[in-house]
Amino acid sequence: MTPYRIILIEDRKKDAEEIVDCLEELMKKRDDKKYNFRIEHIEGKKAEKYEEDEYLHYDESVIDEIEAKYLESSQKKEKMGLLLDVMLTKEDLESSLSSYYPQAELAKRIYFEFHDSMPVYMITASPVFAIQSDIIMGVDLSEQYIAKNALLRYKFENNIAKLFEFYQNFNFEENCEEGNYV
């Protein structure tokens, strides 16, 4: 069985905990004889309260943390993917209230740093992401995202199965050289 590490990048503390719990529960139920998935959350460094919710916002240092996790996974001969929230900073949250399209600057940077070497699946609360991902992220990601409500509130099995299939179908050999993640 191939070990598979999914790294969650999510700044809303409550959502991060619920996503990890939900995916761990679903992974136990899966009858997957090929992959052994586990999920791990990298916390942001800037603790802030925003509209009554607790956040651990990210800064650029998360990129180094992802690189370190990738190298660690490579040494352990395990596969790794990212589950990446679209809005990771206070500025992203504020832009989502003043515009139809959140800035998502840090998420864009992370996506473009790693999408060639590991599968990057998006998770978002943005209701326009499906039809506007090309504007928000600079590339059409309408086929590689899950809405937070689909995962946490409604637990849509088809959407969650699509998430796991995306990770399973990523061709690591074709997309990167061994040990080269960027």
Side-chain angles (χ1 to χ4, degrees):
M1 195 177 284
T2 304
Y4 210 122
R5 181 186 211 180
I6 299 173
I7 302 295
L8 173 64
I9 308 296
E10 164 63 57
D11 64 340
R12 187 170 179 234
K13 198 171 180 178
K14 180 181 175 197
D15 285 353
E17 292 166 358
E18 289 180 20
I19 291 166
V20 169
D21 291 345
C22 179
L23 288 178
E24 284 179 346
E25 179 184 318
L26 293 168
M27 285 184 262
K28 289 176 188 173
K29 291 180 181 178
R30 289 174 51 86
D31 186 25
D32 191 338
K33 300 195 183 357
K34 188 172 180 185
Y35 294 98
N36 179 23
F37 284 99
R38 67 183 171 94
I39 186 159
E40 182 179 325
H41 178 230
I42 295 177
E43 290 187 349
K45 300 205 182 315
K46 297 179 182 180
E48 294 183 87
K49 213 168 189 163
Y50 189 82
E51 293 188 357
E52 304 303 315
D53 288 320
E54 291 183 38
Y55 287 84
L56 292 169
H57 293 299
Y58 294 89
D59 59 26
E60 298 288 322
S61 68
V62 71
I63 293 170
D64 293 334
E65 290 182 64
I66 296 168
E67 289 173 353
K69 298 280 186 193
Y70 181 83
L71 290 173
E72 183 182 295
S73 288
S74 295
Q75 291 169 349
K76 292 180 177 180
K77 304 281 190 232
E78 66 184 358
K79 295 183 178 195
M80 185 175 123
L82 293 177
L83 182 55
L84 179 62
D85 184 31
V86 175
M87 296 182 282
L88 300 174
T89 67
K90 185 175 181 181
E91 293 78 21
D92 292 342
L93 287 174
E94 290 171 345
S95 76
S96 73
L97 297 174
S98 63
S99 170
Y100 288 115
Y101 313 111
Q103 291 177 8
E105 293 303 320
L106 185 54
K108 276 188 231 178
R109 174 117 188 265
I110 293 168
Y111 175 81
F112 285 107
E113 285 279 332
F114 296 104
H115 79 282
D116 284 335
S117 58
M118 69 180 79
V120 181
Y121 208 77
M122 306 304 293
I123 186 165
T124 183
S126 173
V128 298
F129 192 80
I131 56 173
Q132 299 296 331
S133 64
D134 56 337
I135 294 170
I136 296 168
M137 293 296 292
V139 63
D140 181 7
L141 299 173
S142 60
E143 294 297 317
Q144 65 190 75
Y145 87 98
I146 189 166
K148 283 184 188 177
N149 276 341
L151 177 63
L152 298 177
R153 187 171 183 187
Y154 303 111
K155 298 186 187 328
F156 289 146
E157 291 181 21
N158 287 344
N159 296 56
I160 296 165
K162 184 178 166 188
L163 176 149
F164 285 111
E165 287 170 13
F166 179 80
Y167 291 120
Q168 290 171 324
N169 294 331
F170 186 81
N171 189 338
F172 286 89
E173 292 75 26
E174 184 177 297
N175 289 2
C176 64
E177 298 172 18
E178 188 174 326
N180 184 15
Y181 49 85
V182 286

